[in-house]
Amino acid sequence: MDPVIIVGAGPVGLTLALALARQQVPSVVLDEGPGKDEPRLARTVVLREDTSALIERLTGTSLDQAGVHWAGWRSMRRKQVTREVRFDDATDPAPLHIAQHVLTGVLRAALVSQRLVKIAVDSRLDGIEQEPSGVTAHTRGPQGTWWRGSHLVGCDGPRSTVRKLLDIRFPGRTAVERHAVAALRTELPWADEALLHRTPPWRVSGPSAGEVTGRPLPDGVWRLDWLLPPGKDLVTPELLVARIRETLAGWSGGSTPAYELLDTGVHTVHHRLARRWRVGRVFVAGDAAHLLGAFGTQGLDEGLRDADNLAWKLALAWHHGSHETLLDSYQTERRAAVAARLRAADQALPVLRGGAGIRAYVPGTARGDVLLTDGHLGRGPLGAPGTYDGSPLAPRHLEAEVPVDTPPGAPVEDVRVTAEDGSFVRLRDRLGRGALLVLLIAPGTGVWERRHWVGAGIMPRLAAAVTALPSPAELLVAESYPGAAAHTVLLIRPDGHLVTALHGVRAADLYAAAEAAVGGPTGARETSDAEATAGSAAK
């Protein structure tokens, strides 16, 4: 069968290629560049726990040395510290700050030995054609040719050629925020802590800078961002150096510490959301599908979640034939999750950027500090991962369903589990293999070898029920799970979102939930009318 064609070799496209390969699906990555990235320390990304874990799982590489896990976070207003957060690996994992070219390098290195992925460099897309049996892409350049694929995914950024060829509208807001950015090597009073300083008390050169953010990188490097006022004021080198000196002096007690300026830039934030994320056999993901980033939120996080969501659905379709409900659910789930974050940002704009307007919404300014902290740390409506509670893949009317601390559709907690071979692993390590996960909560199993309990109690019945499921599934056992009683059975999707939790072994309910999670009756593999009639989209 033909490979999946991935257009774009940024972090989202490369992650998707690795995620497909993990599920034995070949892909071709069309890279319009030379196959390497220019080092830019002023271009960095912040990964939350779930997305950094996804990268580590796919690459087999720890990101601890490639970036910095913040030791803490502080919010300041004028001369006062208004909020402090200390991170703890067990209960409150820290975000990871990493240069984007370093992240891309880690992904590229993992692909070198991946036989199921081909990267075609200097290959710029200029045409797409679809028919019921597949999709064809044409590239120009030294390697210009026709590529045949089962599906095509546009991960080709804000100016996506794929989106334009499919005539998908991309409405939204332009220049929601602008930041002057500098990467420099220096020593600050807060080692490995990130901070947000609102309304700093020192004199500011040029247009007022009401907010500055400092985020550490490895080797004593910091990225500093100054929020610029609305407009198109030119950020000159002289103005930027003056900002750097004033900021460093203000944070260091009045004298500017020694620093080495490494990179600069201007970061402009846009908020946009594609009208459609799927047209026949073609999908868009990452910046090709959405742009966000105001208030410290991170668009790449959502792009990586797009890849994780789409990979297992494409893999199921690739191995077993297209199932339209399953493939359509990618747009339904992911577009709703990103739209919710964009709505939250739009609602926060007058509160956080309206000057005195904040007093019309809430008393004092503490609420603004909380909202900004949520955005930067991946919490609350501005920053937390989305849930798929309204998913078309959610099962209906399960008599044995019981509540746990994770609501259906939300990402599951990463607990320690016993695998089928008796080894102890993290639940997250079993994700992304193309199989549903069935997790039994059985206190005591963590202290006894698997051979002592695998044939006892409800295990034989549960094992038989898992074997009979309509889609491949792996049976795992855990000592405990937040909010779950003994003998609770959790059904988990390959991307780590909870399908349901059931009380005991209820084979009929478990089967119905598994069938719903993969898009309905597994015999329904026919191609939809929309896909069958998808004509040429070449321009």
Side-chain angles (χ1 to χ4, degrees):
M1 189 170 174
D2 296 320
V4 174
I5 300 171
I6 300 171
V7 183
V12 175
L14 299 178
T15 297
L16 178 59
L18 284 169
L20 289 171
R22 186 176 170 91
Q23 297 167 81
Q24 302 303 308
V25 176
S27 63
V28 174
V29 181
L30 304 183
D31 183 356
E32 71 175 43
K36 58 183 179 181
D37 299 273
E38 177 189 3
R40 288 292 311 276
L41 289 174
R43 189 179 186 190
T44 65
V45 294
V46 178
L47 301 181
R48 316 307 177 194
E49 182 205 10
D50 63 319
T51 50
S52 60
L54 170 65
I55 298 296
E56 292 183 341
R57 183 166 66 246
L58 294 176
T59 62
T61 302
S62 171
L63 298 179
D64 288 347
Q65 303 303 314
V68 168
H69 287 280
W70 299 339
W73 166 270
R74 65 177 59 210
S75 296
M76 302 174 66
R77 188 171 182 84
R78 300 189 186 278
K79 297 181 179 182
Q80 301 296 319
V81 175
T82 59
R83 186 175 177 84
E84 285 190 271
V85 177
R86 304 300 300 178
F87 297 109
D88 178 87
D89 289 342
T91 60
D92 192 9
L96 175 76
H97 188 211
I98 184 172
Q100 183 163 316
H101 73 271
V102 173
L103 175 63
T104 306
V106 170
L107 292 164
R108 288 187 185 276
L111 286 167
V112 169
S113 59
Q114 182 49 255
R115 61 178 180 81
L116 290 176
V117 181
K118 173 182 175 61
I119 298 182
V121 300
D122 298 318
S123 298
R124 184 177 180 84
L125 180 75
D126 64 2
I128 299 172
E129 294 181 359
Q130 293 194 65
E131 55 271 348
S133 60
V135 60
T136 305
H138 185 265
T139 57
R140 54 187 172 89
Q143 306 298 322
T145 187
W146 288 96
W147 302 87
R148 180 69 179 176
S150 63
H151 300 83
L152 183 146
V153 186
C155 305
D156 48 343
R159 296 181 176 85
S160 171
T161 300
V162 173
R163 191 184 64 242
K164 293 173 182 175
L165 289 172
L166 296 178
D167 196 25
I168 297 174
R169 293 186 59 202
F170 199 38
R173 306 179 64 169
T174 300
V176 176
E177 290 184 350
R178 291 174 68 237
H179 297 261
V181 182
L184 48 92
R185 183 175 285 108
T186 190
E187 186 174 338
L188 292 178
W190 313 285
D192 291 343
E193 285 190 21
L195 70 151
L196 170 69
H197 200 158
R198 303 180 72 195
T199 321
W202 53 81
R203 181 183 64 84
V204 174
S205 299
S208 174
E211 188 175 295
V212 57
T213 307
R215 290 171 286 191
L217 286 165
D219 303 321
V221 176
W222 288 79
R223 170 173 166 168
L224 305 186
D225 290 59
W226 293 266
L227 177 66
L228 298 172
K232 298 181 179 180
D233 297 296
L234 183 64
V235 181
T236 65
E238 294 78 14
L239 177 60
L240 188 56
V241 168
R243 288 273 175 90
I244 292 171
R245 294 182 63 83
E246 291 165 353
T247 301
L248 295 183
W251 285 344
S252 303
S255 61
T256 303
Y259 69 91
E260 178 187 2
L261 184 57
L262 304 172
D263 193 17
T264 63
V266 174
H267 175 51
T268 303
V269 175
H270 309 289
H271 281 178
R272 295 187 178 278
L273 187 65
R275 292 288 192 195
R276 293 181 293 168
W277 291 31
R278 180 191 181 196
V279 177
R281 290 179 173 267
V282 181
F283 304 79
V284 290
D287 286 351
H290 51 77
L291 294 175
L292 69 159
F295 314 129
T297 58
Q298 295 287 317
L300 180 59
D301 258 347
E302 294 296 359
L304 296 177
R305 292 176 186 131
D306 294 345
D308 198 24
N309 182 289
L310 182 58
W312 72 272
K313 297 171 181 178
L314 281 178
L316 197 62
W318 194 89
H319 286 295
H320 302 290
S322 292
H323 193 315
E324 297 311 306
T325 300
L326 182 65
L327 294 178
D328 282 344
S329 72
Y330 164 68
Q331 171 176 302
T332 304
E333 292 177 345
R334 292 301 306 144
R335 191 176 187 278
V338 176
R341 291 188 69 180
L342 287 172
R343 282 195 300 271
D346 282 344
Q347 291 167 0
L349 272 170
V351 176
L352 293 171
R353 302 297 185 229
I358 189 170
R359 294 175 177 82
Y361 287 82
V362 290
T365 58
R367 177 59 177 161
D369 292 334
V370 171
L371 286 171
L372 284 169
T373 298
D374 284 349
H376 281 279
L377 301 187
R379 301 172 174 178
L382 278 179
T387 63
Y388 306 143
D389 51 341
S391 170
L393 306 183
R396 305 288 188 267
H397 312 303
L398 301 176
E399 293 183 2
E401 190 168 34
V402 293
V404 295
D405 285 359
T406 302
V412 294
E413 298 291 331
D414 186 28
V415 298
R416 191 180 82 151
V417 300
T418 305
E420 291 182 338
D421 62 1
S423 62
F424 293 111
V425 296
R426 304 302 301 181
L427 175 58
R428 202 172 262 159
D429 293 338
R430 312 308 292 177
L431 299 176
R433 298 172 179 266
L436 297 170
L437 301 181
V438 178
L439 178 63
L440 170 67
I441 310 306
T445 52
V447 298
W448 295 95
E449 290 186 24
R450 182 176 181 273
R451 61 188 175 89
H452 294 304
W453 49 259
V454 68
I458 65 173
M459 277 297 294
R461 286 191 293 128
L462 180 58
V466 171
T467 301
L469 292 180
S471 183
E474 180 180 8
L475 176 58
L476 304 169
V477 180
E479 277 266 358
S480 62
Y481 187 89
H487 296 171
T488 299
V489 176
L490 279 66
L491 181 63
I492 302 165
R493 300 179 357 166
D495 59 356
H497 287 254
L498 181 66
V499 179
T500 189
L502 304 173
H503 176 64
V505 181
R506 305 295 181 93
D509 277 358
L510 186 61
Y511 188 98
E515 189 174 57
V518 295
T522 55
R525 301 299 186 194
E526 296 87 308
T527 303
S528 70
D529 291 341
E531 183 176 344
T533 58
S536 170
K539 302 293 182 183

